[in-house]
Amino acid sequence: MLYLVHMVVRIPDTVPAEEAARIKAEEKAYSQSLQRSGKWPSIWRVVGEYANYSVFDVESNDELHTLLSQLPLFPYMDISVTPLARHPSAI
């Protein structure tokens, strides 16, 4: 199942810079492992924002929820999910 996921990150100013850097490093490692596994085949930065659009390829809604909720930045994210279906004109 394919999903388009929009993630907007909002780390509060109250999080110390060293902690934010640690969380971001963990986020990068986790997201890259999901990309290598094929679960997260595409990620695109939103210009001028701390946000991205990503495509996830997973077996179920539950698997997507689990993967997203394990993101180290998850507590600081606003996430919207759109299920995708193949377009009949796609080649």
Side-chain angles (χ1 to χ4, degrees):
M1 299 177 74
L2 294 176
Y3 297 89
L4 178 66
V5 179
H6 182 219
M7 297 179 236
V8 179
V9 181
R10 292 188 175 90
I11 301 174
D13 293 338
T14 56
V15 175
E18 304 81 31
E19 177 71 3
R22 182 190 63 75
I23 294 168
K24 290 175 189 178
E26 289 177 8
E27 178 87 6
K28 182 176 183 176
Y30 178 61
S31 70
Q32 288 181 344
S33 72
L34 291 175
Q35 290 172 64
R36 285 187 200 94
S37 76
K39 301 281 183 188
W40 193 339
S42 189
I43 182 170
W44 297 92
R45 177 183 298 180
V46 178
V47 175
E49 298 179 27
Y50 194 176
N52 72 71
Y53 280 98
S54 295
V55 174
F56 282 80
D57 188 358
V58 295
E59 294 298 317
S60 67
N61 295 333
D62 291 331
E63 182 182 11
L64 179 63
H65 179 77
T66 297
L67 295 179
L68 293 176
S69 64
Q70 291 176 353
L71 289 166
L73 285 170
F74 180 78
Y76 310 111
M77 289 182 173
D78 293 326
I79 298 175
S80 60
V81 176
T82 304
L84 299 174
R86 177 148 310 276
H87 194 283
S89 297
I91 56 172

